[in-house]
Amino acid sequence: MSLACFECRRGGAFNTLVLFASDGDFDPEKSVSHYPSFYTDCAAFGDFKKVEKSRFMIVEERESQDSWNTGTDGDKLRETKYKFVDETTLAAKLPKIFAALLKTEQRASA
């Protein structure tokens, strides 16, 4: 199955993901795939300023993925380039991804 950006629905190969942790506790020893996430090509790592703490993180993997049968999303977070991102900025740049990731929190608390 091919990979597509949730924001724009364009298919392709991506190395940028947005991760979510409701408590903002991201463990660098856990794999990227441990966290709710979406690949995107609508924003790049450099589009976001680093903040000290957030429930959202942007991650740049070593390689681009082009299918759901991905290889490096099993890498540990520390093996990627990552940073916390501001929720307001993320919501403005990637509103669909932002809303969908927040819904994972609502489902978990239901």
Side-chain angles (χ1 to χ4, degrees):
M1 185 181 292
S2 63
L3 194 61
C5 173
F6 186 78
E7 194 68 36
C8 67
R9 306 282 195 229
R10 186 175 341 164
F14 313 109
N15 72 338
T16 304
L17 297 102
V18 178
L19 272 59
F20 176 74
S22 60
D23 58 3
D25 186 21
F26 291 93
D27 182 347
E29 294 304 315
K30 293 201 174 175
S31 69
V32 172
S33 60
H34 174 80
Y35 299 98
S37 64
F38 286 103
Y39 279 100
T40 186
D41 73 337
C42 292
F45 188 83
D47 292 346
F48 297 91
K49 290 183 180 178
K50 181 180 178 180
V51 297
E52 285 300 311
K53 196 71 176 161
S54 176
R55 298 180 296 169
F56 294 89
M57 186 175 273
I58 190 155
V59 173
E60 186 177 283
E61 294 183 313
R62 294 176 288 130
E63 300 173 9
S64 292
Q65 310 302 322
D66 63 1
S67 76
W68 290 110
N69 219 359
T70 58
T72 58
D73 68 343
D75 285 354
K76 292 180 179 177
L77 190 56
R78 68 174 167 75
E79 296 169 330
T80 68
K81 192 172 165 183
Y82 64 91
K83 62 184 167 186
F84 291 109
V85 295
D86 177 69
E87 292 190 26
T88 305
T89 304
L90 181 65
K93 287 185 186 275
L94 302 170
K96 291 178 187 175
I97 290 174
F98 180 80
L101 288 172
L102 282 181
K103 284 183 182 177
T104 65
E105 180 178 41
Q106 293 166 353
R107 279 187 228 125
S109 63

